[in-house]
């Protein structure tokens, strides 16, 4: 990273230009230089700039989308108390992230603005952040160069643009396009380096400096507050001051007070304890201290959710490493088991309970002894003792796919989860009886905890397990107020072939199968699978997708056959490694080749369990939440799902279609609509 962003000719040139521009911008300011750096990352530009500002009065805010980079930077700049650190995403509302308009004299962005989903909208927001006469200074690629595209731009997130790049599929803007964007944003461009036609310009990197609102007088809230304090009684001085470019108006020209209220209501509070009550013992205090350290929040309560507070895959890895070093109760657990515990129990209290139960005779306990029930979120105030909404794990054994739903439901409904902590025990269980045995155990656990009245929710394999669990609960005299099944069904054939299992695995992990070499045409895969299962009595045996006879199906299937033959020629370890490299960075479940192989084994085991499962009829009320999109775990899944649950659910079955595909319907932005549906059903039944 240092070589790419700092220790080479063009980076040294760009950083030297940024330093000179920022120092000149600081001249003549009425107070400290207020500098906001967005997307600071590894500090490729910060490392050159910060030392050059030591002789000035500066308020430097170093931001990125992940605490991972902030933690590293805070150690690097520990001797610079004027450097502050915080999260910031240029694609989100800056007020909701704790920033105010007209609060920066310089906004600095080094190789980050191309991540804007809509560059015009991002520049408009950044222009609001810049104070009158202030500057936006940024370094950017000015074309899809080979160097950039092969070293750093094959990343998740560099698609889905809604600006002019959507038309041609490009990632970067050209020099002239950046100048047009700045002009549309109302900025006056003063610097554009290197000079056009120069040798350095051929490298495809540029430094831009544009001034905003040069025709307006700067007003600093601190100065205004002092002015008001000297002239008004204390009760008349506003609690909050924002300097805005214009007062929002309604359609009939009156002040839009609702909009003003939104502006003040979305400014994030700082310094509060996150996560409710304080830790209750030494173990919880140790975990809370580590979370506070990793997440850079001042205080963490025992009910704080790691991911809601800003945790991501990089920070999970950092947290797990520090827990193993500094928390004795975690020292005896493997890295993978501890990671799974954090994913399944993302609150201080729940994780502490897991660590306590995991140590008997100095060893971790198995699936049969550690409770699989996890409290994920409290309900609304006064809802203590209410029946929980229980999320049943998917085929990986975690509740990670529900993370966005939990965030949406927290504070509204009591939410619990059923998880697998001991993956080895899960894998050792006969897949033909796995779902039934899990349902037996989960029913016993819920009853032992006093949860005899529950709302069950199951996504993917969790839908089959939730239906089986519902049958067990009602048979024992309990009550399932509602069974909600999200994008789930029983696979109609047994998968023994690794190529097909890896295809499913790649789709579950959100890797692009086409980039991995799988056929683009899903209908061709469907035809191939249909031919193989017809020949082998409902099974895709090892090597089944590369049988020569499949070529007789037609040109499309023959093309799919060739693609599978090419994949089969590579060792499985290489194929799995390619899947791991293609998984989005925020997926914390993957990492080392060993961890990747274990998760693949779990998914493959679950596929066999799902195909082997024979569901008993469920007589209660149920809702099937189907995805509208066509991305499927198995070819044909979208078409078969409704028919399958119509056969299983002999009571009233409600069908609801929601936005997204199988993989995105429980993720933002679609998770909000699914969460609202679950909340309505929960309240409707209990109302």
């Amino acid at each position: 990273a240092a070589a790419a962003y700092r220790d080479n000719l063009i980076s040294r040139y760009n950083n030297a230009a940024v330093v000179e521009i920022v120092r000149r911008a600081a001249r003549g300011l009425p107070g400290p230089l207020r500098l906001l750096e967005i997307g600071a990352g590894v500090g490729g530009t910060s490392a050159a700039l910060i030392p050059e500002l030591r002789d000035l009065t500066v308020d430097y805010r170093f931001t990125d989308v992940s605490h991972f980079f902030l933690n590293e930077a805070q150690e690097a700049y520990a001797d610079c108390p004027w450097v502050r650190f915080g999260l910031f995403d240029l694609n989100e509302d800056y007020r909701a992230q704790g920033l105010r308009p007209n609060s920066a004299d310089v906004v600095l962005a080094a190789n980050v603005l191309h991540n804007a989903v809509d560059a015009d909208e991002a520049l408009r927001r950044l222009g609001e952040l810049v104070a009158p006469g202030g500057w936006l200074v940024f370094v950017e690629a000015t074309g899809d160069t080979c160097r950039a595209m092969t070293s750093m731009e094959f990343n998740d997130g560099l698609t889905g643009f809604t600006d002019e790049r959507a038309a041609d599929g490009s990632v970067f803007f050209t020099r002239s396009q950046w100048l047009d964007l700045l002009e549309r944003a109302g900025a006056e461009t003063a610097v554009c380096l290197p000079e056009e036609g120069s040798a350095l310009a051929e490298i495809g990197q540029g430094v831009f400096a544009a001034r905003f609102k040069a025709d307006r007088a700067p007003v600093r809230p601190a100065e205004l507050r002092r002015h008001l304090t000297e002239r008004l009684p204390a009760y008349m001085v506003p609690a909050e001051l924002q300097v805005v470019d214009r007062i929002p108006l309604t359609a009939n020209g009156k002040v839009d007070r609702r909009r003003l209220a939104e502006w003040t209501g979305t400014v994030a509070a700082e310094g509060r304890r996150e996560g409710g009550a304080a830790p209750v013992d030494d173990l919880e205090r140790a975990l809370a201290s580590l979370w506070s350290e990793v997440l850079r929040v001042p205080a963490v309560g025992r009910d704080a959710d790691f991911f809601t507070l800003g945790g991501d895959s990089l920070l999970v890895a950092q947290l797990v490493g520090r827990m193993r070093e500094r928390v004795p109760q975690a020292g005896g657990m493997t890295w993978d088991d501890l990671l799974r515990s954090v994913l399944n129990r993302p609150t201080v209290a729940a994780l502490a309970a897991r660590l306590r139960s995991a140590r008997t005779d100095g060893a971790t306990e198995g699936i049969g002894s550690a409770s699989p029930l996890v409290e994920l979120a409290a309900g609304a105030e006064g809802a203590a003792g209410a029946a929980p909404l229980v999320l049943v794990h998917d085929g990986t054994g975690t509740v990670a796919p529900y993370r966005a739903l939990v965030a949406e439901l927290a504070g509204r409904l009591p939410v619990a989860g059923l998880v697998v902590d001991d993956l080895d025990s899960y894998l050792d269980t006969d897949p033909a009886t796995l779902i039934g045995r899990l349902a037996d155990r989960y029913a016993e656990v819920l009853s032992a905890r006093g949860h005899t009245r529950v709302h069950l929710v199951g996504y993917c394999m969790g839908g089959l397990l939730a239906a089986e669990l519902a049958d067990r609960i009602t048979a024992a005299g309990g009550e399932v107020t509602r069974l909600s099944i999200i994008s789930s069904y029983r696979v109609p054939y047994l998968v023994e072939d690794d190529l097909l299992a890896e295809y499913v695995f790649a789709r579950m992990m959100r890797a692009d199968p086409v980039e991995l070499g799988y056929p683009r045409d899903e209908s061709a895969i469907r035809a191939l699978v249909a031919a193989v299962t017809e020949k082998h009595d409902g099974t895709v045996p090892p090597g089944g997708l590369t049988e020569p006879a499949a070529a007789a199906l037609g040109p499309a299937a023959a093309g799919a056959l060739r693609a599978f033959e090419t994949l089969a020629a590579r060792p499985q370890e290489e194929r799995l490694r390619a899947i791991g490299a293609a998984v989005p960075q925020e997926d914390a479940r993957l990492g080392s080749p060993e961890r990747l192989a274990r998760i693949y084994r779990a998914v493959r085991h679950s596929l066999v369990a799902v195909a082997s499962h024979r569901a008993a009829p469920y007589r209660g009320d149920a809702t099937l939440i189907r995805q509208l999109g066509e991305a499927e775990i198995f070819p044909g899944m979208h078409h078969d799902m409704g028919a399958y649950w119509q056969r299983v659910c002999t009571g009233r079955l409600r069908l609801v279609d929601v936005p997204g595909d199988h993989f995105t319907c429980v993720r933002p932005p679609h998770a909000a609509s699914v969460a609202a549906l679950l909340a309505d059903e929960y309240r409707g039944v209990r109302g």
Side-chain angles (χ1 to χ4, degrees), residues 274-303:
E274 301 284 0
V280 299
D281 60 17
D282 289 343
L283 176 56
E284 289 192 5
R285 281 188 284 272
L287 293 175
S289 176
L290 280 179
W291 287 27
S292 179
E293 177 183 308
V294 170
L295 295 169
R296 298 296 177 187
V297 294
V300 174
R302 66 192 309 266
D303 299 317

Side-chain angles (χ1 to χ4, degrees), residues 641-661:
M641 190 182 304
Y644 172 77
W645 288 107
Q646 292 278 11
R647 293 194 300 271
V648 172
C649 297
T650 59
R652 289 180 299 175
L653 177 66
R654 179 188 179 198
L655 299 177
V656 180
D657 292 324
V658 294
D661 56 40

Side-chain angles (χ1 to χ4, degrees), residues 303 305 308 344-347 350 372-380 383-393 399 401-419 446 449 451 453-458 486 674-676 678-679 682-683 686:
D303 299 317
D305 185 287
T308 301
N344 284 336
R345 294 169 168 80
T347 69
L373 185 64
V374 183
E375 304 299 327
L376 296 174
L389 184 147
V390 180
L391 306 174
V392 183
H393 63 77
V399 288
Y402 298 106
R403 193 173 297 149
L405 291 179
V406 173
E408 292 283 346
L409 295 170
R412 300 162 65 184
L413 310 178
V415 182
L418 288 165
V419 302
L446 288 169
R449 289 282 189 93
H451 297 313
R453 190 170 187 263
V454 295
H455 178 164
L456 295 178
V457 179
I486 306 173
V674 176
L678 294 175
Y682 182 94
R683 293 194 183 98
R686 284 151 181 77

Side-chain angles (χ1 to χ4, degrees), residues 69-377:
F69 300 106
L70 306 186
N71 293 343
E72 299 293 330
Q74 191 150 355
E75 294 179 8
Y77 303 119
D79 62 339
C80 301
W82 41 273
V83 179
R84 298 185 292 146
F85 303 89
L87 295 174
F88 182 76
D89 185 341
L90 83 159
N91 287 311
E92 302 294 337
D93 177 18
Y94 60 83
R95 284 186 173 88
Q97 301 178 75
L99 299 180
R100 293 167 174 79
N102 292 290
S103 61
D105 301 304
V106 174
V107 172
L108 171 62
N111 291 298
V112 68
L113 290 187
H114 62 268
N115 289 286
V117 173
D118 185 323
D120 283 295
E121 177 62 16
L123 287 178
R124 182 193 65 77
R125 286 197 292 257
L126 293 179
E128 290 184 0
L129 284 170
V130 175
W135 296 82
L136 170 63
V137 182
F138 63 96
V139 180
E140 264 301 338
T142 52
D144 293 355
T145 64
C146 293
R147 171 183 176 272
M149 296 301 290
T150 57
S151 65
M152 56 187 166
E153 297 308 340
F154 285 121
N155 291 324
D156 181 60
L158 292 177
T159 57
F161 301 118
T162 58
D163 52 32
E164 56 201 271
R165 289 171 294 177
D168 59 12
S170 61
V171 172
F172 301 105
F173 290 106
T174 65
R175 176 190 179 105
S176 61
Q177 285 176 316
W178 278 119
L179 295 176
D180 289 342
L181 284 164
L182 289 168
E183 183 178 359
R184 292 202 296 268
E188 302 171 14
T189 303
V191 174
C192 183
L193 296 172
E195 293 181 358
E196 202 164 13
S198 68
L200 283 175
E202 296 299 315
I203 297 178
Q205 281 269 314
V207 178
F208 300 81
R211 199 176 191 196
F212 283 82
K213 297 173 277 196
D215 58 337
R216 300 192 183 192
V219 177
R220 297 201 173 200
E223 296 172 355
L224 181 55
R225 182 173 297 280
R226 283 196 297 270
H227 178 82
L228 295 174
T229 302
E230 292 169 358
R231 290 163 174 78
L232 295 173
Y235 72 89
M236 294 185 66
V237 178
E240 178 186 340
L241 290 171
Q242 290 187 38
V243 179
V244 300
D245 293 337
R246 61 190 60 83
I247 298 295
L249 302 177
T250 63
N252 58 11
K254 295 184 177 180
V255 174
D256 190 341
R257 298 190 180 278
R258 176 178 297 179
R259 185 68 171 155
L260 286 174
E262 291 174 356
W263 284 358
T264 57
T266 56
V267 174
E270 297 182 1
R272 66 178 183 269
R273 178 186 299 279
E274 301 284 0
V280 299
D281 60 17
D282 289 343
L283 176 56
E284 289 192 5
R285 281 188 284 272
L287 293 175
S289 176
L290 280 179
W291 287 27
S292 179
E293 177 183 308
V294 170
L295 295 169
R296 298 296 177 187
V297 294
V300 174
R302 66 192 309 266
D303 299 317
D305 185 287
F306 183 82
F307 300 100
T308 301
L309 294 183
D312 56 28
S313 64
L314 295 172
L315 290 177
V316 165
Q318 197 174 81
L319 176 68
V320 169
R322 296 186 188 188
M323 284 172 60
R324 295 192 72 203
E325 293 173 359
R326 291 151 58 179
V327 178
Q329 292 89 335
M333 298 182 71
T334 67
W335 204 99
D336 285 355
D337 287 340
L338 194 52
L339 172 66
R340 176 173 288 269
S341 294
V342 176
L343 290 173
N344 284 336
R345 294 169 168 80
T347 69
V348 167
L351 184 57
R354 166 61 182 152
L355 293 179
R356 293 188 199 99
S357 69
R359 291 182 67 85
T360 57
D361 301 325
T364 57
E365 294 184 358
I367 188 172
S369 52
S371 174
L373 185 64
V374 183
E375 304 299 327
L376 296 174

